[in-house]
């Protein structure tokens, strides 16, 4: 292993440890969605946003409480910031799982709305939602992979860590590209501002010189100087 590779691993190992620790303690989101009549359901819409790189597997698992026929209808809508649609399941009760592969480097939203279909028996009807979002290596079915490839537990964990490290490297490369793009944009803007300032100064100097010449010629024609 060369020194450059050892340095990269040394720099990224703390990130990997932090990532794995965060993944081990993370739990699904739990919240309530209040019901509103049809046409006003956007008032109760709850959206969860996350960022995902292009061509990344995402698995969204939503567990919605309540029963069908209780006068409420919970709908889910998954879309990203650039307009791609990934699913719009309706009237969700119980567990709903939706898997998709991202089409762009963009943030995506998982939104829930609760439509009130009948007059409520209580003053403020709600539905309880539990949401889990798995991205990349966490979204893969590792039990099926272990069974298909006959991997030992240690081999499976190493395989999972390998994919997590690859995702971290890809994310760092993406951030580096974004930084380079922003730096190029900043330098280009500074260059344009510099030339605009120089052009403005040259225009003002030329206008001032013209005014002096014009006024001297005017005063001489009037025999004032």
């Amino acid at each position: 292993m060369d020194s450059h590779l050892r340095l990269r691993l040394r720099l990224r190992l703390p990130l990997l440890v932090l990532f794995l620790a965060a993944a081990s303690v993370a739990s699904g989101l739990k919240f309530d969605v209040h019901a509103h009549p049809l046409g006003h359901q956007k008032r109760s819409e709850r959206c969860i946003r996350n960022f995902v790189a292009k061509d990344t597997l995402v698995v969204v698992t939503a567990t919605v409480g309540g029963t069908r026929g209780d006068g409420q209808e919970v709908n889910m809508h998954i879309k990203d910031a650039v307009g791609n649609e990934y699913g719009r399941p309706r009237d969700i009760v119980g567990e709903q799982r939706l898997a998709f592969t991202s089409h762009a480097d963009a943030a995506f939203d998982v939104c829930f709305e609760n439509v009130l279909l009948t007059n409520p028996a209580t003053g403020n009807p709600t539905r309880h939602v539990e949401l889990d979002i798995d991205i990349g290596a966490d979204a893969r079915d590792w039990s099926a992979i272990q069974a298909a490839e006959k991997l030992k537990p240690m081999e499976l964990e190493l395989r999972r860590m390998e994919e997590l490290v690859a995702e971290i490297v890809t994310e760092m490369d993406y951030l580096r590209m974004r930084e380079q793009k922003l730096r190029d944009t900043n330098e280009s803007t500074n260059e344009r501002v510099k030339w605009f300032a120089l052009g403005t100064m040259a225009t003002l100097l030329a206008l001032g010189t013209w005014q002096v010449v014009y006024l001297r010629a005017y005063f001489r024609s009037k025999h004032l100087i």
Side-chain angles (χ1 to χ4, degrees), residues 74-123:
V74 175
N75 304 319
M76 183 169 67
H77 183 199
I78 304 177
K79 58 184 178 180
D80 65 19
V82 296
N84 294 310
E85 299 276 346
Y86 296 109
R88 194 189 286 266
R90 304 182 64 85
D91 196 11
I92 304 173
V93 175
E95 183 178 295
Q96 175 77 39
R97 178 170 295 183
L98 186 63
F100 64 90
T101 301
S102 57
H103 300 326
D105 295 323
F108 69 94
D109 294 325
V110 181
C111 298
F112 296 88
E113 63 178 16
N114 190 359
V115 182
L116 185 62
L117 302 176
T118 60
N119 292 328
T122 60

Side-chain angles (χ1 to χ4, degrees), residues 43 67 78 123 130:
R43 298 178 182 176
T67 58
I78 304 177
E130 296 184 11

Side-chain angles (χ1 to χ4, degrees), residues 58-77:
V58 180
V59 176
V60 177
T61 305
T63 305
V64 180
T67 58
R68 286 190 173 88
D70 63 355
Q72 301 178 67
E73 180 182 288
V74 175
N75 304 319
M76 183 169 67
H77 183 199

Side-chain angles (χ1 to χ4, degrees), residues 97-183:
R97 178 170 295 183
L98 186 63
F100 64 90
T101 301
S102 57
H103 300 326
D105 295 323
F108 69 94
D109 294 325
V110 181
C111 298
F112 296 88
E113 63 178 16
N114 190 359
V115 182
L116 185 62
L117 302 176
T118 60
N119 292 328
T122 60
N124 192 17
T126 62
R127 284 278 188 89
H128 184 71
V129 177
E130 296 184 11
L131 177 65
D132 286 299
I133 301 176
D134 296 315
I135 299 175
D138 291 331
R140 301 191 63 182
D141 188 351
W142 291 103
S143 298
I145 294 175
Q146 182 179 21
E149 301 184 14
K150 297 180 174 58
L151 298 176
K152 296 179 180 179
M154 181 60 69
E155 293 175 335
L156 181 67
E157 189 63 25
L158 289 174
R159 174 81 172 273
R160 180 171 174 271
M161 290 181 63
E162 180 184 2
E163 294 205 10
L164 290 174
V165 170
E167 288 182 2
I168 293 174
V169 172
T170 302
E171 180 69 16
M172 293 183 68
D173 289 340
Y174 171 75
L175 293 175
R176 181 175 53 80
M177 291 175 58
R178 285 283 302 273
E179 180 187 6
Q180 179 66 39
K181 184 178 180 180
L182 291 175
R183 184 166 58 249

